[in-house]
Amino acid sequence: NWRNVFNTLSACKMQLSTEFWVLIQMAVFIPLALIRQIRYFAPVALVANLLIIVSLGYLLGFDMWSISTTGPAPFVNYNPARFPLLVGTAVYSFEGVTLVIPILDSLKEKRDFGRVLTMAIMLCLGLFLAVGSLSYLTFGEKVEAVVLLNLPNQSAWTMLVQILYSVAILFSMPLQLFPAVKIMEAMMFTRSGREHKSIKWQKNIFRTAMALLIALIAVFGADQLDNVVSLVGSFCLVPLSFIYPASMHLKLMADTRWMRVKDSVLIIIGVVAMVYVTFISVATWGTSDPPLDVCLSGP
């Protein structure tokens, strides 16, 4: 999105590489990744959520306007070659599940957390269904992995929305990294950085290295975003969302035959989905079209 806006404003007179646009964001990403307490993310997360809501509102409005004026675009009901990627992409929507326990631990009032969590999940589900369905009806087979790239690139509103959404993602990424970093730090460091400055700086270096590693992965997978999302969803989030919870429930809580059967079925489905979708994500790597380039596509 940053590159798309810059190329539009500069009329493609100075094109910068994907590596540049990924690395320049590290100037914001790395300082935010050094935050130690999840509660300090609250203002940044609030701004990010508001920007995402505005962006999605504009996208949904454009979709409904386009469908009402020109009708649905040609689309394929079922694509067997790419359907497994949908499974990984759908499970990728569970990426925020790692934040549930840290957020719960940071709350003073925990009584209503279950109700709030359920409402949030239902809201996200509705947004995923609405944005995915309407955008596919609007753009059909030409829909991009980042659907904002399909919007008219000469529109000032489109550029504004792309900027807002890019800022939102930039602010939210360190929050997504937070649980993983905390777990790895607990395994690597036995002493606290509060009493030992050297430990604190070692943790800072570790967090910076993790941010740079993510940047490297982003550069490597920039042209195959749909495969990257599916691969992360299948290999990382299927176990996190299905296999691990069912395994722990089976070990600790399942005291009836029906519970054990349900847990076992979830584990089997999770393992099969993880192996199969991971294989398809790797096997189809490089078969997707590169992201839309405004300098090649024109207005």
Side-chain angles (χ1 to χ4, degrees):
N1 284 326
W2 289 117
R3 181 176 62 179
N4 186 72
V5 172
F6 179 81
N7 287 340
T8 301
L9 293 176
S10 65
C12 300
K13 294 181 180 178
M14 186 174 65
Q15 299 186 48
L16 300 174
S17 65
T18 301
E19 292 80 2
F20 170 83
W21 290 111
V22 171
L23 293 176
I24 196 66
Q25 295 178 75
M26 292 299 102
V28 177
F29 192 10
I30 290 177
L32 290 177
L34 300 181
I35 295 177
R36 298 293 198 275
Q37 300 294 330
I38 195 171
R39 65 176 182 270
Y40 295 141
F41 283 107
V44 176
L46 178 61
V47 172
N49 288 335
L50 291 175
L51 295 180
I52 290 175
I53 290 173
V54 172
S55 303
L56 291 179
Y58 175 79
L59 177 61
L60 289 173
F62 179 87
D63 288 344
M64 290 185 288
W65 172 83
S66 179
I67 293 173
S68 64
T69 54
T70 61
F75 60 89
V76 176
N77 289 321
Y78 175 67
N79 185 349
R82 306 288 292 179
F83 180 78
L85 298 183
L86 171 64
V87 178
T89 303
V91 179
Y92 185 83
S93 61
F94 283 93
E95 61 174 330
V97 72
T98 56
L99 296 171
V100 172
I101 294 179
I103 291 176
L104 178 60
D105 290 338
S106 68
L107 295 177
K108 292 182 180 180
E109 298 292 336
K110 298 180 172 59
R111 291 179 300 175
D112 296 330
F113 181 75
R115 180 172 58 86
V116 174
L117 178 62
T118 301
M119 294 173 58
I121 291 175
M122 296 305 296
L123 176 61
C124 291
L125 176 62
L127 285 174
F128 286 143
L129 291 174
V131 173
S133 302
L134 290 176
S135 295
Y136 190 54
L137 287 174
T138 301
F139 304 110
E141 294 183 82
K142 296 182 179 179
V143 68
E144 293 287 324
V146 180
V147 70
L148 294 180
L149 297 177
N150 284 109
L151 298 174
N153 56 60
Q154 295 299 321
S155 169
W157 286 106
T158 295
M159 288 188 287
L160 177 61
V161 166
Q162 290 179 340
I163 292 174
L164 294 180
Y165 193 80
S166 298
V167 172
I169 297 302
L170 183 61
F171 282 170
S172 62
M173 279 302 297
L175 181 61
Q176 300 293 333
L177 181 65
F178 181 84
V181 168
K182 293 289 288 186
I183 292 173
M184 288 186 286
E185 284 183 346
M187 297 171 60
M188 296 173 60
F189 302 98
T190 57
R191 294 182 295 176
S192 172
R194 294 180 179 178
E195 292 81 16
H196 304 85
K197 295 297 182 181
S198 61
I199 299 297
K200 183 176 182 179
W201 279 105
Q202 289 176 33
K203 289 183 176 181
N204 289 342
I205 294 173
F206 171 70
R207 290 180 178 227
T208 301
M210 288 299 299
L212 293 175
L213 175 62
I214 291 175
L216 181 63
I217 296 173
V219 171
F220 175 73
D223 292 337
Q224 301 293 323
L225 183 58
D226 48 353
N227 286 73
V228 171
V229 171
S230 178
L231 183 61
V232 173
S234 59
F235 187 73
C236 300
L237 290 167
V238 166
L240 191 62
S241 304
F242 295 95
I243 300 176
Y244 299 156
S247 300
M248 289 185 285
H249 188 271
L250 178 63
K251 181 71 175 179
L252 302 174
M253 302 292 293
D255 52 4
T256 66
R257 182 178 180 180
W258 177 237
M259 285 186 177
R260 290 191 291 269
V261 169
K262 289 192 295 183
D263 290 336
S264 300
V265 170
L266 276 177
I267 293 171
I268 293 172
I269 293 175
V271 171
V272 172
M274 181 186 69
V275 174
Y276 178 63
V277 178
T278 298
F279 171 76
I280 295 298
S281 300
V282 175
T284 59
W285 190 278
T287 61
S288 302
D289 295 329
L292 186 67
D293 190 338
V294 297
C295 297
L296 298 178
S297 62

